[in-house]
Each structure stands twice: as C-alpha cells, then as structure tokens.
Amino acid sequence: MGNLKRFGVSLNSDLLTKFDKLIDNKGYGNRSEAIRDLIREELVSEEWKSGNKETVGVFSLVYDHHESDISQLINNIQHNNLNIIRSSTHVHIDHHNCLEVIILKGKSKEIKKLTDQLSSTKGIKHGKLIMTSTGSGLT
Amino acid sequence: MGNLKRFGVSLNSDLLTKFDKLIDNKGYGNRSEAIRDLIREELVSEEWKSGNKETVGVFSLVYDHHESDISQLINNIQHNNLNIIRSSTHVHIDHHNCLEVIILKGKSKEIKKLTDQLSSTKGIKHGKLIMTSTGSGLT
Amino acid sequence: MGNLKRFGVSLNSDLLTKFDKLIDNKGYGNRSEAIRDLIREELVSEEWKSGNKETVGVFSLVYDHHESDISQLINNIQHNNLNIIRSSTHVHIDHHNCLEVIILKGKSKEIKKLTDQLSSTKGIKHGKLIMTSTGSGLT
Amino acid sequence: MGNLKRFGVSLNSDLLTKFDKLIDNKGYGNRSEAIRDLIREELVSEEWKSGNKETVGVFSLVYDHHESDISQLINNIQHNNLNIIRSSTHVHIDHHNCLEVIILKGKSKEIKKLTDQLSSTKGIKHGKLIMTSTGSGLT
C-alpha cells in the first residue's frame, strides 16, 4: 500500500474557502481525504484515455419497453459483447419506463464503443456511463 | 430476539448417525445450529402456504434470447407486475443463453402466479423459484 | 435444435387427471410443454449430480446485518471464491433484514461447497440454492 | 407521446463539422437523434437541480474489502436509507477490490446526500454518481 507522505499545497485563499465549503458539504473529515479523491479521479480518467487498459464501467439506460422491439434489441447487442459484460440489473420503474444498469470490465475503448452503440439506439431516452476502475491501480 | 432455551430430542441412533454426517458435510458447528435451520425452513414453508403473507421469492429463468421475441415478452410480463418485483439481474451466459434472476416481494400467491406464468412461457428452458422470507418472522 | 418427435405415454387415468389439473393451474398450453419441462428439470438435476460439469446456481441468503460482522464475513468468503461468482445483488428488506442473491457459474461440487459454507455461517437466517443450468445442454 | 415537430438550427460551420464527426463516431443515424439526446440530458440535469423532484440515480463504489470493517459500514449506511435504495449489485473484481453499484430512486437532494456520505467514507477508492431519470418526463 506504500507509506503515508505529506506535502504542502499553496492555494489562493478564495479558492481554498470555496474548496473547504465544498468538502464540508460533502462530509469529508479533512482536506487530505478530499485531495486524495481528486487525485484518484484524475488517475481513473487517465486510465480511460489510454484505451487499452483493463478497466471497469457502469452504464445506465432508461427506455420505454413499449417501443417496438427495444428489449430484444438491447439484449442482442449485449450478447454480441458478452466478453466485456459482467451482469446487468433491470429495474421496472413504472408501467412504461425501464432502468437497465450494465456492469462492464474490459479495455476502455471496447467499453466506450459498446456504450456509444447502446446510447444511440432508437428508443433510448437516456444513456450514461460511469468510468470507474478495477481499483488495482488505486490505493 | 428472545432468550436461548434448551430442549432434548430423542432420535433413532441410525438416523442420528446420518444426520451427524450430513451436518458435518455441510460444515455446521453443532446440531443445534442445523436444527434451527430445519425449523426456520419449516416456518418459511408455512409462510408460503398461507398465500396472503408478505414474503420474498427469488426466481431464475434460463432462455435462448434468439427465440422470437422472448426478451420483449418477459419484460412486458414483468412490467405488468411491477408492484411485486424489486429488481432483476441478467447474466449473458453464452452467445445463445441468458440467465435472468428476479427478486420478488409480495403475497406468496401473487409471486407464485407470476412465476408460474413466466415458467410456462414458450421458449423458457428452465424456471425455478426459491421461496424465502422477509426474515422478520425468523430469529 | 433438432426436429420435433412425437411419442405416446400411458398413464393411470387418476394420475392424468391430477396432472392435467396441475398444468392447467400453472398455465401451460398443453401436456407436451409441461412434460418437456419435467424432462429438462431431470437433466439439470443429473448435471448437478455429476459434480464436475460446468453449471449455474442462484443462491439466496437472508440475514440481519446488525449481527456482529456478518456483512464483512460474507463478503470475505465470496472474495475467496471469486472465480465461480458472477455477481451478487443485495436488497435491503427492512431496517434489520438483508436479502443477498449470488449468481454462480462453475463445477456443481464447487458451487455446493461454497453455498454450504455460506448457509452454515452463524447469523444466516435462511440460505437456499437453485440448481439451474448454463442452458447449453437444454433445447 | 406528442407528435413530431421540426425546427431549424443555425450553426457555425466549424462547430457543425465537429458535431457531425462526433455523432458519426457515436453511431447516431442523424442529427435530430443526437440533438434530442442533448435536450433530454439538459432536462435530466434540471430535474436534479430542483432537489425535490423524484428521480433515479446509479452510484458506483470501488473499495478494498480488507479495509477494517468497510463492508459492514457501507451496508449499515444503506440500511439507514432503505426508502431510497432499490437494489445494489456487487461484483468481486479481484482478491482485494469490490465494485458495488447502487440503484436509487427518490428526491435528488436525498440521493446526493447519501452518495456524498458514501463517497467520503474512509476506505472508498472511487465513488461516482450517474444522475439519470425516471423517464416519465422524457419522451
């Protein structure tokens, strides 16, 4: 895990005031914890840019299942990419609307390609991707 | 939770030998723990027989998503019963086969009616229901 | 998929009456569909007996998360078996009770060993396994 | 659903070229589909700002389950908010790392409060929220 190091950060006082307010609202215990989260976020973001690193994504889709054959279509697209899909969870929100949440593990470029394809499918109301991480590069 | 009581059980020695072997295989620490599980199982079973008690079911379906419009059909049936479905998880097993696991909470007779309907849908290869419990009647 | 064959079945009339009533209650369209399901069920059951065939299980656990460190324990046991766990879904039933549903894919004897270990963990109120199938041996 | 209307959009040609390239990469069939998605995204974003509208969120957490009692802690926090949690799915990524994906339905300010609390919990490596929608305000 590595040992704990300490370093100083210089910051404009206005920016620091805003940052302190933000981390207080979010419930962080101190600035270091909040800074650590920013750094991890940046590392995850870099992991995704490379395209070829093994990473983890969570993709959410909202759609109306009455739209022609959309359930069938979404299921077929997923089966053609089953090597990068871990599981998907479906919540029946109301009589019309479905939420489907797909957990993906694979190269970031493959995940992006699949989620772009799903997002642009006719009948999808809202599609959104969380780019997260296997955690193995984060401590 | 109630306090712990102790009572004796008389048993044919052959039956006891078999029971001890069984609970040893299953990894129980002692007979009381194994007996408690049998009693809880019986209570859950009674809860389900009554038909009108609020309970919890887990239903698994295996099907080939290439079969005509089966994904669409299964999704529609679930939306017509969304008051008793908590969520469903889908695993894409191979290019043909899907596993769908539905978590249900409601009256046992409603759960049975829905899962019978799903099981007897054309194209379903294997449908099976776990009758479990909200846990509130078990200690 | 193979082509459709037809064969005759002789049955005691009383047994047939009971069977017809049962399949009518369950919503089957005809006897052949119901018989097909019985045969598949038997095939799945054989698949599980062999111990070494790749198969699929769905395991449900009900427990009170206030019981000492049970969430931690269950999570640790699962991580030690991550090669056969596909995903697990957690539903918070009430302030005390949790339902956890684990989807497993692997050799039946490995799945049984793990689910026996989880069932016999102190604090588990109800543990139950669906023995289902990858679907690849069923048509 | 409302009927289809058509309106014109004036755009700088450079911007249009970039936009066309973007939607082509993402696989959209035409500009209108891509514009519809942008408008829906804006509507979802407004829904979340209001704080009091019923909406849907998907929250992902990555953590090392060996960290003291983190599984227990996360489970307890969720049970204290069970009215807004629909289900959560857990994937055991490797021997150390867990991914937990929580599906939330409730007022956006309640969802944000809970997910901020979870994100700032000691031991969480990466927490991220998708703000999506029940779909009922989107067509």
Side-chain angles (χ1 to χ4, degrees):
Chain A
M1 289 274 182
N3 53 354
L4 218 55
K5 294 248 165 122
R6 205 173 158 74
F7 64 95
V9 176
S10 321
L11 221 66
N12 174 295
S13 66
D14 281 0
L15 190 57
L16 187 58
T17 308
K18 280 181 192 159
F19 185 58
D20 283 347
K21 204 178 154 191
L22 183 74
I23 66 178
D24 187 50
N25 283 343
K26 281 184 180 275
Y28 283 104
N30 57 57
R31 287 173 191 154
S32 289
E33 276 179 34
I35 295 285
R36 273 197 294 273
D37 272 8
L38 290 181
I39 292 172
R40 284 173 191 142
E41 180 69 39
E42 190 62 21
L43 291 172
V44 170
S45 171
E46 276 308 302
E47 208 176 278
W48 275 80
K49 272 181 204 147
S50 81
N52 278 308
K53 284 224 179 114
E54 178 86 354
T55 191
V56 171
V58 178
F59 186 62
S60 76
L61 283 168
V62 177
Y63 61 93
D64 181 340
H65 72 106
H66 291 118
E67 280 279 335
S68 61
D69 54 355
I70 191 159
S71 309
Q72 200 70 32
L73 197 57
I74 290 172
N75 200 353
N76 290 354
I77 294 173
Q78 291 184 56
H79 270 271
N80 291 335
N81 293 275
L82 53 90
N83 59 318
I84 59 167
I85 298 181
R86 192 65 181 258
S87 77
S88 65
T89 303
H90 190 115
V91 167
H92 310 287
I93 298 178
D94 59 32
H95 193 64
H96 283 278
N97 292 290
C98 297
L99 172 72
E100 195 152 327
V101 178
I102 306 172
I103 299 178
L104 303 122
K105 186 161 173 261
K107 291 183 181 170
S108 54
K109 65 178 177 190
E110 293 170 333
I111 294 180
K112 271 184 188 162
K113 201 182 151 201
L114 170 59
T115 57
D116 278 347
Q117 186 186 1
L118 287 166
S119 286
S120 59
T121 299
K122 202 176 164 314
I124 299 299
K125 290 181 171 186
H126 198 235
K128 218 159 172 185
L129 174 65
I130 292 178
M131 300 177 190
T132 183
S133 160
T134 62
S136 63
L138 304 175
T139 52
Chain B
M1 291 275 180
N3 52 356
L4 218 55
K5 294 248 165 122
R6 205 172 159 75
F7 65 95
V9 177
S10 323
L11 221 65
N12 175 295
S13 65
D14 283 358
L15 191 56
L16 188 57
T17 308
K18 282 180 191 160
F19 184 58
D20 283 345
K21 205 180 154 191
L22 183 75
I23 67 179
D24 187 49
N25 284 342
K26 284 186 179 273
Y28 284 103
N30 56 58
R31 287 174 191 152
S32 288
E33 276 179 34
I35 295 284
R36 274 196 294 273
D37 272 8
L38 290 181
I39 292 172
R40 285 173 190 142
E41 181 68 40
E42 191 61 22
L43 291 172
V44 170
S45 171
E46 276 306 303
E47 208 176 279
W48 275 81
K49 271 182 204 147
S50 82
N52 278 307
K53 284 224 180 116
E54 179 87 352
T55 192
V56 170
V58 177
F59 186 61
S60 77
L61 283 168
V62 177
Y63 62 93
D64 182 340
H65 71 105
H66 291 120
E67 279 279 334
S68 62
D69 54 355
I70 190 159
S71 309
Q72 200 72 30
L73 197 57
I74 290 173
N75 200 351
N76 291 354
I77 293 173
Q78 289 184 56
H79 269 272
N80 292 334
N81 292 276
L82 53 89
N83 58 319
I84 60 167
I85 298 181
R86 191 66 181 258
S87 77
S88 66
T89 303
H90 190 116
V91 167
H92 309 287
I93 297 177
D94 60 32
H95 192 65
H96 281 279
N97 293 291
C98 299
L99 172 72
E100 194 152 328
V101 178
I102 306 172
I103 299 177
L104 304 122
K105 186 164 173 258
K107 290 183 182 170
S108 55
K109 64 178 177 189
E110 292 169 334
I111 294 179
K112 271 183 188 162
K113 201 182 153 201
L114 170 58
T115 56
D116 278 346
Q117 187 187 0
L118 287 165
S119 288
S120 59
T121 299
K122 202 178 163 313
I124 299 299
K125 289 180 171 187
H126 198 235
K128 217 158 171 185
L129 173 65
I130 292 179
M131 301 179 190
T132 183
S133 160
T134 63
S136 64
L138 303 176
T139 52
Chain C
M1 291 275 181
N3 52 355
L4 218 55
K5 294 247 166 121
R6 205 170 159 77
F7 65 95
V9 177
S10 323
L11 221 65
N12 175 295
S13 66
D14 281 359
L15 191 54
L16 187 58
T17 309
K18 280 181 194 158
F19 185 57
D20 283 345
K21 205 180 154 190
L22 184 74
I23 66 179
D24 186 51
N25 284 342
K26 284 185 180 274
Y28 283 103
N30 56 57
R31 287 173 193 154
S32 288
E33 277 180 32
I35 294 285
R36 274 196 294 273
D37 273 7
L38 290 181
I39 292 172
R40 285 173 189 142
E41 181 69 40
E42 191 61 21
L43 290 172
V44 170
S45 170
E46 275 308 302
E47 207 176 279
W48 275 81
K49 271 182 205 148
S50 82
N52 278 308
K53 284 226 179 113
E54 179 87 353
T55 192
V56 171
V58 177
F59 186 61
S60 76
L61 283 167
V62 177
Y63 61 92
D64 181 340
H65 72 105
H66 291 119
E67 279 280 334
S68 61
D69 54 355
I70 191 159
S71 308
Q72 200 71 31
L73 197 57
I74 290 173
N75 200 352
N76 291 354
I77 294 173
Q78 290 184 54
H79 270 271
N80 292 335
N81 293 277
L82 51 90
N83 58 319
I84 58 167
I85 299 182
R86 190 68 181 256
S87 77
S88 66
T89 303
H90 189 116
V91 167
H92 310 285
I93 297 177
D94 60 33
H95 193 65
H96 282 278
N97 293 290
C98 297
L99 171 73
E100 195 152 326
V101 178
I102 306 173
I103 298 177
L104 304 122
K105 186 162 172 260
K107 290 183 181 168
S108 55
K109 65 178 175 189
E110 292 169 334
I111 293 179
K112 270 184 189 163
K113 202 183 153 201
L114 170 58
T115 56
D116 278 347
Q117 187 187 0
L118 287 166
S119 287
S120 59
T121 299
K122 204 180 161 313
I124 299 299
K125 290 181 171 186
H126 198 235
K128 218 160 172 184
L129 173 65
I130 292 178
M131 300 179 191
T132 183
S133 160
T134 62
S136 64
L138 302 177
T139 52
Chain D
M1 289 274 182
N3 52 355
L4 218 55
K5 295 248 165 122
R6 205 172 159 76
F7 65 95
V9 177
S10 322
L11 220 66
N12 175 295
S13 67
D14 282 359
L15 190 56
L16 187 57
T17 308
K18 281 180 192 158
F19 184 58
D20 282 346
K21 204 179 154 191
L22 183 75
I23 67 178
D24 187 49
N25 284 342
K26 284 185 180 274
Y28 283 104
N30 56 57
R31 288 174 191 152
S32 289
E33 275 179 35
I35 295 284
R36 274 197 293 275
D37 273 8
L38 291 181
I39 292 172
R40 284 172 190 143
E41 181 68 40
E42 190 61 22
L43 290 172
V44 170
S45 171
E46 276 307 302
E47 208 176 279
W48 275 82
K49 272 181 203 146
S50 80
N52 277 308
K53 284 222 180 117
E54 180 86 353
T55 191
V56 170
V58 178
F59 186 61
S60 76
L61 282 167
V62 177
Y63 62 93
D64 181 341
H65 72 106
H66 291 120
E67 280 278 335
S68 61
D69 55 354
I70 190 159
S71 309
Q72 201 70 32
L73 197 57
I74 289 172
N75 200 351
N76 289 354
I77 293 173
Q78 290 184 55
H79 270 271
N80 291 335
N81 293 276
L82 54 90
N83 57 318
I84 58 168
I85 299 181
R86 191 66 180 257
S87 77
S88 65
T89 303
H90 189 116
V91 167
H92 309 287
I93 298 177
D94 60 33
H95 193 64
H96 282 279
N97 293 289
C98 298
L99 172 72
E100 195 153 328
V101 178
I102 307 172
I103 299 177
L104 303 122
K105 186 162 173 261
K107 291 182 180 171
S108 55
K109 65 178 177 190
E110 292 170 333
I111 293 179
K112 273 184 187 162
K113 201 181 152 202
L114 170 59
T115 56
D116 279 346
Q117 187 187 0
L118 286 166
S119 286
S120 59
T121 298
K122 202 176 163 313
I124 298 299
K125 290 180 171 189
H126 198 236
K128 218 159 171 184
L129 173 65
I130 293 179
M131 301 178 190
T132 183
S133 159
T134 61
S136 64
L138 303 175
T139 51

